Amino acid sequence: VTVTYAAATAPTVTITTPTASPTYGTSLSSLSLGGTASGVTQVTWANNRGGGGTATGTTSWTASGVVLQTGANLLTVTARDAAGNTATGVLTVTLSSTLAFTDDPLVAQRTLSRALHITELRAVINSVRVARGLATFAWTDPTLTAGSTPVKMVHLAELRAALNQAYQAAGRTAPAYTDPTVVGRLTLIKAIHVNELRAAVRNIN
């Protein structure tokens, strides 16, 4: 006679990244999932719009490069224990069709580079980095205040560096930039510098 005992404790799984809420909106075509689980040996994910895979880790798990389709994407995370019992977590992610920026495009000699332009790019680039398994970037002057924090060349250089790392993580060739070497107080931030970064973000997205 063979007696099989059920697991004493049912497995659990929780999604915490990119949000702990049941819904999430983004304009980026991929993201990273992450969360926690207990009593499990494997965590997998699936998108009802196509795609799936096995997460890295169990107690603390991550899944990077989850590809999204325009519209609603139902992401289901399934945790399984050694006895075959499962637990699931669900996140509905809505991908918007466009990536919108303020003053798009900037016009040379007409549109001034503003703190808002840098802040928007920082937010999007950090999302791109996280979607490819990178940490968010440590920015100089983390909070830019319109009218009081001047836009500096270091801000532009950091945006390029942070985005280039995301391109490298994605196995892509980094973009070519106008004025590839920028020098504080010697290189002026131009409309083309911001426009190029916006185009590069859209390209990797």
Side-chain angles (χ1 to χ4, degrees), residues 13 37 39-44 53-55 57-58 61 78-82 85 87:
V13 64
V40 305
T41 58
Q42 185 185 59
V43 178
T44 60
T54 301
T58 52
W61 57 268
T78 302
R80 186 181 304 274
D81 67 13
N85 301 307

Side-chain angles (χ1 to χ4, degrees), residues 45-57:
W45 65 272
N47 184 350
N48 73 321
R49 301 290 298 278
T54 301
T56 300

Side-chain angles (χ1 to χ4, degrees), residues 128-149:
V128 169
R129 289 172 61 87
V130 170
R132 283 152 184 83
L134 299 174
T136 56
F137 197 85
W139 310 105
T140 300
D141 304 320
T143 302
L144 300 178
T145 304
S148 62
T149 308

Side-chain angles (χ1 to χ4, degrees), residues 71-169:
N73 296 255
L74 182 64
L75 306 181
T76 302
V77 175
T78 302
R80 186 181 304 274
D81 67 13
N85 301 307
T86 61
T88 58
V90 175
L91 173 65
T92 299
V93 179
T94 301
L95 173 64
S96 59
S97 58
T98 59
L99 187 58
F101 292 105
T102 302
D103 304 322
D104 193 21
L106 271 66
V107 180
Q109 299 180 347
R110 290 180 55 188
T111 312
L112 296 176
S113 296
R114 298 190 283 157
L116 176 60
H117 301 150
I118 303 301
T119 299
E120 288 177 342
L121 280 167
R122 285 178 171 181
V124 174
I125 289 172
N126 269 339
S127 295
V128 169
R129 289 172 61 87
V130 170
R132 283 152 184 83
L134 299 174
T136 56
F137 197 85
W139 310 105
T140 300
D141 304 320
T143 302
L144 300 178
T145 304
S148 62
T149 308
V151 177
K152 307 172 186 175
M153 291 312 304
V154 66
H155 301 152
L156 175 65
E158 288 178 346
L159 289 169
R160 290 176 172 180
L163 186 56
N164 285 351
Q165 290 170 359
Y167 266 80
Q168 182 178 14

Side-chain angles (χ1 to χ4, degrees), residues 29-31 45 47 50 65-69 73 75:
S29 60
S30 66
L31 54 70
W45 65 272
N47 184 350
V66 177
V67 177
L68 306 172
Q69 303 298 325
N73 296 255
L75 306 181

